[in-house]
Amino acid sequence: MRHQITGFSNPTIKRLKSLREKKHRKREGLFLAEGLRILTEALDSGKTPRMLVVVEDSELHPLARKIEAATVAAGGDVIETSEAIIAKLSGKSNPQSIIGIYQDHPVPLEELDRSSANIWLVAQSLRDPGNLGTILRTGDAVGAGGLILIDDCVDPFSVEAVRASMGAIFTQKIVQAKWPDFQSWLRSGPGELVGTSLNTENDYQSVRYTAPTFLLIGNEAQGLPEDYEAACDTLVKMPMMGKADSLNAAVAASVMAYEVLNQSRKR
Amino acid sequence: MRHQITGFSNPTIKRLKSLREKKHRKREGLFLAEGLRILTEALDSGKTPRMLVVVEDSELHPLARKIEAATVAAGGDVIETSEAIIAKLSGKSNPQSIIGIYQDHPVPLEELDRSSANIWLVAQSLRDPGNLGTILRTGDAVGAGGLILIDDCVDPFSVEAVRASMGAIFTQKIVQAKWPDFQSWLRSGPGELVGTSLNTENDYQSVRYTAPTFLLIGNEAQGLPEDYEAACDTLVKMPMMGKADSLNAAVAASVMAYEVLNQSRKR
């Protein structure tokens, strides 16, 4: 159904705005995604919004009309509201004109089918939502199966992470797991765990990776803890020609992921 | 000289805080950099702060003492102040305990020695300071000479860009240029201009790049304008196995830059 809402203090608007905070997302099992591009990606991946927010009195783009129809068909509400309220929900001064509210979709580790992809990304205590979203986006690009979040990672369903994922939040499987549980699961089937490290002489291009390859990405400031490095089957390093000894976490993950993809393209 | 400043309304603090804004940075030719790691990188690259801000009554790290000594030797002031004021300057709730104020150092295009490096990064209308800083960081890692900013890019000396560069703001040459000027300069000497594009069938690994390679990175949302693509010597694309048709700008630049570096490593 279509509703018009004009007040900031409307309970629905307040509830949607609360989804910008992790605890409310967690309680409701819902998250916000903005913009026609990301919402179209969602629809193409079979995800329909529980609720759709659009700018009032605006001519909807044909793609937006398609998303609206899908929302209504699935029993969801469509809310027309002001640009100011949409900006409030989005947290951006110059927001997209369409916001979808989706059910979050973490996958339990034991339900993951590791044979469904050759590459899996694994992040440990990743703190930056932009990095997390960017890694999801790269995961989609290299045909990875999903992202396994170990320990205390930032929430993948945060507005910033969803935005940076450019829709990959809907195409990549998202798993949250404790390190010991991940290790047991990993070792219960085929899979090579690969970490990047300063404590190795293995050039990342000199190693032949075997599928499924699990690429372990460490925390932005600390890198991987020693015992996590020790648990890897393979440690590699990328050439660093300058003064710095590390890359941005999303960049390192992406350069590694493309190397693994490129090797499989040459087979 | 060492001063203690405790008030938010102190004129020096106000002036330093104003450097968070582009117009004040531009007027003063100064910018802020935070954290021992980045400030040490600066010192190693021969850049001494004009002014140094440290937390009062704290035991300085030996590296910080070295930076302090260099600052004083160069005639700069050292300011001791509260953590609250440092947080205000940094814009982060959990700031680093040391901030340096540096002279900005854009290089005029005509002073750039293109033969000094095999890789140069060129960004067009890049809007995100995190992406810009991350590209600088990758530039350092691949041994690039610097970053040439075309058209309306975000300020490389913004606090966010400097932070994301992890010190590469001090090791990479920074050029700001108009597109026609860049084109004339580029064609006045050797150099291959390479763009990533959806409008090509050239796989990025199937092309042999010749040094110096200028990697042209487009705006985050729009990519490269048509006539910029037309001006490239080579257009390439990276394999995209998923639903998305593009990577994050800093990721795309990094995957490309590592390919160019890797080719030169194999020669």
Side-chain angles (χ1 to χ4, degrees):
Chain A
M1 237 183 85
R2 236 179 200 265
H3 305 274
Q4 193 151 26
I5 297 183
T6 53
F8 281 94
S9 57
N10 175 284
T12 302
I13 298 298
K14 279 188 163 169
R15 179 176 159 224
L16 297 185
K17 187 159 172 277
S18 78
L19 295 178
R20 295 181 46 76
E21 284 169 59
K22 185 178 177 182
K23 65 175 177 186
H24 294 292
R25 283 196 296 275
K26 203 145 191 167
R27 204 193 53 222
E28 301 232 27
L30 297 172
F31 70 100
L32 301 168
E34 313 152 89
L36 201 50
R37 186 164 162 179
I38 296 184
L39 268 60
T40 299
E41 195 83 70
L43 194 64
D44 288 349
S45 309
K47 305 283 199 309
T48 308
R50 292 294 194 86
M51 200 181 278
L52 193 68
V53 186
V54 298
V55 177
E56 61 197 350
D57 305 326
S58 66
E59 180 79 31
L60 286 190
H61 188 283
L63 287 172
R65 282 209 297 272
K66 213 174 136 191
I67 297 165
E68 179 181 13
T71 307
V72 173
D77 284 337
V78 178
I79 293 170
E80 285 189 7
T81 191
S82 64
E83 282 193 35
I85 285 181
I86 288 193
K88 207 83 177 179
L89 294 180
S90 131
K92 283 180 89 174
S93 52
N94 187 14
Q96 305 270 0
S97 60
I98 188 165
I99 294 181
I101 290 84
Y102 294 86
Q103 185 161 22
D104 64 13
H105 44 270
V107 177
L109 194 53
E110 51 276 13
E111 288 179 17
L112 212 60
D113 174 12
R114 71 180 76 199
S115 68
S116 64
N118 289 335
I119 304 176
W120 295 86
L121 297 166
V122 187
Q124 183 262 333
S125 293
L126 202 74
R127 300 307 306 154
D128 183 87
N131 280 342
L132 194 151
T134 300
I135 289 172
L136 284 170
R137 185 175 180 184
T138 292
D140 175 271
V142 298
L147 176 60
I148 301 165
L149 301 168
I150 304 285
D151 298 344
D152 190 25
C153 285
V154 66
D155 184 8
F157 298 105
S158 74
V159 174
E160 295 75 16
V162 171
R163 189 182 287 151
S165 86
M166 289 299 286
I169 189 84
F170 296 108
T171 62
Q172 291 287 292
K173 294 223 168 16
I174 315 271
V175 180
Q176 290 174 309
K178 295 275 162 225
W179 177 240
D181 298 336
F182 169 68
Q183 280 190 289
S184 322
W185 174 83
L186 178 70
R187 299 312 176 192
S188 70
E192 180 181 11
L193 185 62
V194 177
T196 50
S197 169
L198 300 174
N199 307 315
T200 178
E201 291 304 311
N202 289 335
D203 188 281
Y204 83 117
Q205 291 205 302
S206 70
V207 171
R208 296 304 92 179
Y209 303 101
T210 51
T213 310
F214 292 82
L215 292 175
L216 182 57
I217 304 142
N219 166 269
E220 287 92 343
Q222 261 84 48
L224 289 172
E226 241 176 71
D227 51 327
Y228 287 55
E229 283 195 356
C232 288
D233 298 299
T234 313
L235 290 177
V236 293
K237 63 170 187 183
M238 274 157 276
M240 302 292 297
M241 315 303 283
K243 299 227 169 189
D245 62 4
S246 69
L247 294 162
N248 164 276
V251 165
S254 302
V255 172
M256 278 301 303
Y258 265 93
E259 175 61 22
V260 177
L261 172 64
N262 288 335
Q263 288 191 10
S264 76
R265 297 200 296 158
K266 282 167 197 153
R267 265 181 217 134
Chain B
M1 240 183 81
R2 235 179 202 264
H3 304 275
Q4 193 150 27
I5 297 183
T6 53
F8 281 94
S9 57
N10 176 285
T12 303
I13 297 298
K14 279 189 163 167
R15 179 177 160 224
L16 297 186
K17 188 160 171 276
S18 79
L19 295 178
R20 296 181 46 78
E21 283 169 59
K22 184 177 178 182
K23 66 174 177 188
H24 295 291
R25 282 195 298 274
K26 203 144 192 169
R27 204 193 53 222
E28 301 233 25
L30 297 173
F31 70 101
L32 301 169
E34 313 152 89
L36 201 50
R37 186 165 162 178
I38 296 184
L39 269 60
T40 299
E41 197 83 71
L43 194 65
D44 289 349
S45 309
K47 307 283 201 307
T48 308
R50 292 294 194 86
M51 201 180 279
L52 193 67
V53 186
V54 298
V55 176
E56 62 197 348
D57 306 325
S58 67
E59 180 79 31
L60 285 191
H61 188 283
L63 287 171
R65 282 209 298 271
K66 214 174 138 190
I67 297 164
E68 179 180 14
T71 307
V72 173
D77 284 337
V78 178
I79 293 169
E80 286 188 8
T81 191
S82 63
E83 284 191 35
I85 286 180
I86 289 194
K88 205 83 180 179
L89 294 179
S90 130
K92 282 180 87 175
S93 52
N94 187 14
Q96 305 270 359
S97 59
I98 188 165
I99 294 181
I101 290 85
Y102 294 86
Q103 185 161 22
D104 64 15
H105 45 269
V107 177
L109 195 53
E110 51 275 14
E111 288 179 18
L112 212 58
D113 175 12
R114 70 180 78 197
S115 68
S116 64
N118 289 335
I119 304 176
W120 296 87
L121 297 166
V122 187
Q124 181 262 334
S125 293
L126 202 73
R127 301 307 306 154
D128 184 85
N131 279 342
L132 195 151
T134 300
I135 289 172
L136 284 170
R137 185 176 179 183
T138 292
D140 176 272
V142 299
L147 176 61
I148 301 166
L149 301 168
I150 305 285
D151 300 342
D152 189 25
C153 286
V154 67
D155 184 8
F157 298 105
S158 73
V159 174
E160 295 75 16
V162 172
R163 190 181 287 150
S165 86
M166 289 299 286
I169 189 83
F170 296 108
T171 63
Q172 291 287 293
K173 296 225 169 13
I174 315 272
V175 179
Q176 290 173 310
K178 295 272 162 231
W179 176 241
D181 298 337
F182 169 68
Q183 280 190 290
S184 326
W185 175 83
L186 178 69
R187 299 312 177 191
S188 71
E192 180 181 12
L193 185 62
V194 177
T196 50
S197 169
L198 300 175
N199 307 317
T200 178
E201 291 304 312
N202 289 335
D203 188 281
Y204 83 117
Q205 290 206 303
S206 71
V207 171
R208 296 305 92 180
Y209 302 101
T210 52
T213 310
F214 292 81
L215 292 176
L216 182 56
I217 305 142
N219 167 269
E220 288 93 342
Q222 262 83 47
L224 289 172
E226 242 177 71
D227 52 327
Y228 287 55
E229 282 195 358
C232 287
D233 298 299
T234 313
L235 291 178
V236 293
K237 63 169 186 181
M238 274 156 277
M240 303 292 295
M241 315 302 284
K243 298 228 171 189
D245 62 6
S246 69
L247 293 162
N248 164 276
V251 165
S254 302
V255 171
M256 278 301 302
Y258 265 93
E259 176 60 22
V260 176
L261 172 64
N262 288 334
Q263 289 191 9
S264 76
R265 297 200 296 158
K266 283 167 197 151
R267 263 179 218 134

